[in-house]
């Protein structure tokens, strides 16, 4: 706990220096935490955050050169994950009896894919210390690879552990998919517990609509039984980030 506190206070001053920079949500590179606002609890993890698509937005200066395989592995993984987003977006559309490209069209040709590699070190502190505090993702959806348990999803007053399944990618709906599906797919609150026995590594690929692109509920999912729940929004990820820093959800800002 002592270690956590002292790490927290030095991080707080680090973020105090940084927080005046506008549009921080697009910051990239290595960071010990991403919650710059004062009086917010810190997440107990380190991460490396990199934009991988669109390709021309890659900031290679933040891509580590060591280990030497890093860049190539990330390039290859990103390419595969992009293919997974195409398949997933089509499958989700079909499952809702919608035209298969409808979500892909909303995400746009320059959809964002951002890789967040997260390291959770062992933590001896009390259970209250979280690896990642409760939040929803501001993405369309997130593709998650994890090497250890710890992730939990909240539903109806209870936390449910997400199992670790070797080589499986866990797909987590984000707020923007909840908007596009007019609330049919829910963006769950989730968190990561800290672990005193084992460290944990996860790689989250955040898939979100292209910058400046308006998204909204699919017409086919708005009807008398299911009235429009959300209005059209753009750059929702930015709004989400602003609220996230204060420990709040942003979905209400998109309510119709
Ligand atoms: O590390 C995990 O399993 C979850 C990561 C996550 O929720 C996030 O980066 O938004
Ligand atoms: Fe998340």
């Amino acid at each position: 706990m002592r270690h956590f506190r002292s790490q927290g206070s030095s991080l707080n001053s680090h973020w105090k220096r940084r927080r005046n920079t506008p549009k921080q949500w697009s910051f990239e590179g290595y960071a010990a935490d991403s919650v710059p606002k004062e009086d917010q609890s810190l997440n107990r993890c380190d991460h490396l955050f990199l934009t991988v698509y669109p390709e021309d937005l890659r900031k290679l200066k933040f891509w580590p050169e060591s280990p030497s395989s890093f860049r190539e592995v990330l390039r290859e993984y990103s390419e595969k994950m992009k293919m997974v987003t195409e398949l997933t977006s089509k499958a989700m559309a079909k499952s809702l009896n919608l035209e298969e490209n409808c979500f892909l069209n909303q995400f746009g040709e320059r959809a964002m894919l951002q890789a967040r590699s997260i390291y959770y070190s062992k933590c001896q502190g009390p259970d209250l210390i979280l690896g990642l505090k409760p939040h929803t993702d501001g993405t369309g959806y997130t593709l998650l690879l994890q090497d250890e348990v710890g992730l939990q999803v909240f539903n109806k007053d209870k936390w449910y552990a997400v199992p670790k399944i070797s080589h499986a990618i866990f797909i987590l709906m984000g707020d923007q998919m909840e908007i596009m599906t007019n609330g049919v797919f829910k963006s769950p609150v989730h968190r990561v517990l800290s672990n005193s026995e084992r460290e944990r590594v996860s790689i989250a690929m955040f898939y979100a609509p292209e910058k400046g692109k308006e998204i909204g509920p699919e017409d086919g999912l708005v009807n008398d039984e299911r009235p429009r729940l959300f209005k059209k929004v753009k750059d929702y990820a930015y709004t989400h980030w602003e609220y996230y820093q204060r420990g709040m959800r942003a979905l209400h800002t998109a309510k119709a």
Side-chain angles (χ1 to χ4, degrees):
M1 185 63 179
R2 205 159 56 83
H3 168 68
F4 181 60
R5 280 225 181 94
S6 60
Q7 187 193 37
S9 62
S10 73
L11 286 173
N12 269 338
S13 53
H14 166 75
W15 281 111
K16 263 182 217 155
R17 287 193 301 277
R18 286 193 57 158
R19 77 196 157 118
N20 293 330
T21 320
K23 306 236 182 232
Q24 281 228 7
W25 63 294
S26 60
F27 77 82
E28 290 198 35
Y30 174 81
D33 190 27
S34 53
V35 183
K37 295 289 181 212
E38 284 162 60
D39 74 20
Q40 280 299 303
S41 55
L42 289 154
N43 297 314
R44 199 184 186 286
C45 62
D46 298 338
H47 79 180
L48 175 67
F49 188 74
L50 299 169
T51 296
V52 296
Y53 284 107
E55 243 177 287
D56 58 301
L57 294 186
R58 288 181 187 177
K59 295 192 180 108
L60 287 182
K61 66 178 175 190
F62 294 122
W63 291 43
E65 283 175 290
S66 169
S68 57
S69 56
F70 179 88
R71 290 181 171 200
E72 199 38 49
V73 170
L74 183 61
R75 267 192 206 105
E76 211 180 298
Y77 188 65
S78 306
E79 210 176 295
K80 300 260 158 65
M81 287 305 106
K82 191 163 190 266
M83 283 157 62
V84 173
T85 61
E86 276 155 30
L87 287 173
T88 308
S89 297
K90 285 186 182 178
M92 287 195 291
K94 281 198 201 162
S95 76
L96 296 167
N97 294 322
L98 299 171
E99 195 280 310
E100 71 169 5
N101 289 316
C102 68
F103 295 129
L104 284 174
N105 292 339
Q106 293 223 49
F107 279 99
E109 279 182 9
R110 287 177 58 76
M112 298 287 290
L113 193 60
Q114 292 173 301
R116 184 184 191 199
S117 318
I118 317 174
Y119 170 65
Y120 302 87
S121 58
K122 284 187 223 169
C123 175
Q124 302 293 344
D127 292 350
L128 285 174
I129 297 177
L130 291 172
L132 214 53
K133 65 183 186 174
H135 66 283
T136 60
D137 288 356
T139 52
Y141 53 94
T142 305
L143 307 169
L144 189 79
L145 198 59
Q146 44 172 353
D147 74 345
E148 196 45 73
V149 290
L151 177 63
Q152 293 187 325
V153 173
F154 193 72
N155 187 31
K156 296 195 180 117
D157 300 330
K158 269 177 80 174
W159 286 102
Y160 294 87
V162 174
K164 176 186 80 172
I165 304 172
S166 179
H167 296 107
I169 288 170
F170 181 68
I171 302 184
L172 197 68
M173 291 300 115
D175 286 0
Q176 300 200 60
M177 235 14 235
E178 183 158 343
I179 296 170
M180 287 189 238
T181 62
N182 199 31
V184 177
F185 291 168
K186 301 276 188 288
S187 162
V189 173
H190 53 284
R191 69 179 184 184
V192 178
L193 300 180
S194 53
N195 189 324
S196 59
E197 319 261 286
R198 283 185 289 272
E199 47 191 26
R200 179 174 186 271
V201 173
S202 65
I203 302 177
M205 298 295 273
F206 296 122
Y207 181 56
E210 72 181 44
K211 281 190 184 153
K213 183 139 185 359
E214 206 170 55
I215 61 127
E218 280 298 321
D219 288 341
L221 297 174
V222 179
N223 50 48
D224 289 345
E225 278 110 68
R226 182 174 278 279
R228 177 176 297 276
L229 292 179
F230 300 103
K231 59 187 178 192
K232 291 195 167 167
V233 291
K234 70 175 174 186
D235 294 330
Y236 175 84
Y238 177 60
T239 313
H240 174 272
W241 175 242
E242 289 280 292
Y243 277 84
Y244 173 77
Q245 289 177 80
R246 295 173 176 83
M248 290 157 73
R249 288 200 71 172
L251 199 58
H252 67 278
T253 65
K255 284 268 152 76

